[in-house]
Amino acid sequence: MEETIGMIKLFLVSGFFILLGSTQAAADGYTTGGGRRLAAAPSLPVPITLITSAVDKGAVCLDGTPPAYHMDPGFGAGKNKWIVNLEGGGWCDSVRVCRYRKASRLGSSNLMDKQMYFEGVLSSNLVKNPDFYNWNRVMIRYCDGASFTGEGYDASNRLYFRGQRIFNASIEHLLSIGMASADQVLLAGGSAGGLAAILQCDHFSAFFAGRRGTTVKCLADAGLFLDAVDISGGRTLRSYYGGIVATHGVAQNLPKSCTGRLDATSCFFPQNIIGSIKTPMFLLNAAYDTWQIHESLAPDAADPRGAWRACKSNRSACDASQMTVLQGFRGQMVSAVQGFSRSKANGLFINSCFTHGQSKYRATWNAKGSPTIQNKGIGKSVGDWYFGRAEVKAIDCPYPCDKTCHNDI
């Protein structure tokens, strides 16, 4: 049994809070008698659905509440096509932090926003999202804290680490309501959800094994988190990921192609996984990913004197030595995708922007003035790759050559 509830004023995408009102909603479109959605009227907010049947499977949020999703049904030629998007929102790396997280919408479906407006790759606007606007578009909410990979339970704190069960139960539910007959499917995600899309890509594809004629591909936006050395010589993100892996019992659910040769923490880093993924995948990432610059490359703990504070807030404030470090970080990202890019089935769009997450925002997905590489934008690039219209292996030249970026300041 499912229930539908509520209203939205604020929601979290890839770790950033976005306030939505009637002005932002105004261009997503409406359905005409011919089944097309035009840009003349506002879209309807998409209500939340709780998967209450998942509770019996132990597939629950950190606090034990049911998992949830938002779905805008497909129409016309898109009725048998599905995008399943995994929500982002960071992680929790210890029982103490997860205890706080379970008292938020990132740990409890009781506290989630009840409605959501879909933008970017999830938009129902024909003009702004021509390749996917009429598909069944789903956002699976994030409430486990380990990119949908955990398996465990802390009885003393009543914390459920059930990310893998949430993923499985959510996909099984979507299959039961129509996705089983899909002819085209795209698993996507941004930030922590982008990492999840990478980790779960082949597992997701396996749900469609034996179903003839179903095309399955994956899109990871801002999910290419690097195992980088920080400015103090430490490995801040590796330490953090180690805590996530241990707290949530992640190791058993990581790709065996990686854990057979590397430790579990290494296998939580995409650079060690992407080369062995069999399902076609598209990596969309900013070469100067702002979350990674703030939290992995130059975190406050590695910068006690605040020498990087201004640079992190405004790239124009970076001095020559800091820019050298940033260019080195970009070099690591480009190097990390070299093997991945050799597969004709895979796609890349690595632009030289200072941002984090670009697929779920109208301004960066397919709007006038959106980021481009060689005059091709993100939405067009993903569409060309998915439908096989063109091979897309776009890696931008180093900053400051790109004048089309939408940067976070």
Side-chain angles (χ1 to χ4, degrees):
M1 172 181 169
E2 281 81 33
E3 355 176 28
T4 303
I5 42 183
M7 267 306 285
I8 185 171
K9 291 183 180 177
L10 191 71
F11 75 99
L12 184 86
V13 174
S14 302
F16 297 95
F17 289 100
I18 309 296
L19 183 65
L20 292 179
S22 59
T23 301
Q24 277 209 330
D28 251 2
Y30 69 99
T31 306
T32 69
R36 285 192 163 195
R37 299 209 178 173
L38 306 177
S43 67
L44 295 174
V46 182
I48 198 170
T49 298
L50 301 181
I51 312 176
T52 54
S53 59
V55 175
D56 290 339
K57 302 174 182 178
V60 293
C61 300
L62 284 169
D63 71 338
T65 53
Y69 67 94
H70 300 253
M71 176 177 169
D72 194 8
F75 57 94
K79 282 186 177 180
N80 288 326
K81 306 176 193 303
W82 292 69
I83 294 178
V84 179
N85 205 301
L86 304 175
E87 185 181 29
W91 309 271
C92 58
D93 66 333
S94 68
V95 167
R96 179 183 64 83
V97 177
C98 291
R99 209 166 50 229
Y100 283 108
R101 188 179 178 99
K102 82 170 184 176
S104 76
R105 61 188 173 183
L106 289 170
S108 172
S109 59
N110 286 343
L111 302 173
M112 290 175 181
D113 303 310
K114 309 313 179 192
Q115 295 185 356
M116 179 181 288
Y117 289 98
F118 282 179
E119 302 281 358
V121 68
L122 295 178
S123 172
S124 60
N125 186 309
L126 169 64
V127 175
K128 298 182 185 302
N129 190 28
D131 283 320
F132 306 105
Y133 77 100
N134 60 353
W135 288 32
N136 295 279
R137 284 152 291 107
V138 181
M139 172 69 78
I140 298 179
R141 299 303 297 267
Y142 181 35
C143 64
D144 67 277
S147 288
F148 296 89
T149 59
E151 178 55 59
Y153 176 62
D154 186 305
S156 60
N157 291 281
R158 298 187 67 181
L159 282 169
Y160 296 84
F161 304 118
R162 299 287 173 77
Q164 187 64 55
R165 294 196 201 188
I166 290 173
F167 181 83
N168 291 345
S170 299
I171 300 307
E172 288 165 0
H173 170 76
L174 295 175
L175 288 168
S176 75
I177 63 170
M179 193 168 68
S181 61
D183 50 48
Q184 293 177 315
V185 184
L186 176 64
L187 178 68
S191 192
L195 173 59
I198 294 170
L199 296 172
Q200 298 287 0
C201 185
D202 279 344
H203 178 57
F204 177 73
S205 184
F207 281 97
F208 298 89
R211 301 176 194 269
R212 290 187 178 182
T214 303
T215 298
V216 183
K217 298 187 180 185
C218 304
L219 164 65
D221 176 16
L224 191 56
F225 296 95
L226 298 179
D227 188 5
V229 176
D230 65 40
I231 56 173
S232 70
R235 289 187 178 271
T236 298
L237 191 56
R238 168 167 277 272
S239 177
Y240 184 48
Y241 274 8
I244 297 166
V245 168
T247 300
H248 291 259
V250 165
Q252 61 190 295
N253 294 320
L254 295 173
K256 300 298 186 290
S257 59
C258 182
T259 55
R261 57 189 175 84
L262 296 173
D263 63 276
T265 299
S266 295
C267 294
F268 207 63
F269 283 98
Q271 66 201 70
N272 299 318
I273 301 167
I274 55 177
S276 58
I277 293 175
K278 297 179 175 60
T279 307
M281 172 167 282
F282 193 101
L283 296 177
L284 164 62
N285 228 96
Y288 308 93
D289 185 289
T290 48
W291 188 92
Q292 294 189 63
I293 291 171
H294 278 255
E295 304 297 337
S296 176
L297 185 63
D300 290 344
D303 183 32
R305 297 185 179 181
W308 275 75
R309 193 170 301 144
C311 176
K312 288 191 296 183
S313 298
N314 186 346
R315 66 199 179 283
S316 64
C318 301
D319 61 29
S321 63
Q322 290 168 333
M323 282 308 308
T324 297
V325 173
L326 293 175
Q327 300 294 19
F329 179 82
R330 173 193 174 274
Q332 290 179 62
M333 185 169 291
V334 171
S335 177
V337 301
Q338 289 306 307
F340 170 88
S341 68
R342 294 190 190 105
S343 169
K344 290 185 177 181
N346 294 333
L348 280 172
F349 192 100
I350 309 293
N351 55 358
S352 292
C353 301
F354 287 76
T355 191
H356 181 72
Q358 301 174 88
S359 67
K360 289 185 287 185
Y361 303 105
R362 68 171 67 182
T364 48
W365 177 248
N366 191 40
K368 183 179 180 180
S370 290
T372 62
I373 299 178
Q374 296 180 348
N375 297 316
K376 185 187 288 190
I378 294 169
K380 181 69 161 59
S381 296
V382 173
D384 281 353
W385 161 77
Y386 188 92
F387 295 104
R389 296 187 300 240
E391 188 171 308
V392 182
K393 303 290 173 61
I395 299 180
D396 212 351
C397 50
Y399 173 83
C401 71
D402 192 336
K403 307 303 181 185
T404 70
C405 286
H406 289 238
N407 294 312
D408 293 334
I409 301 298

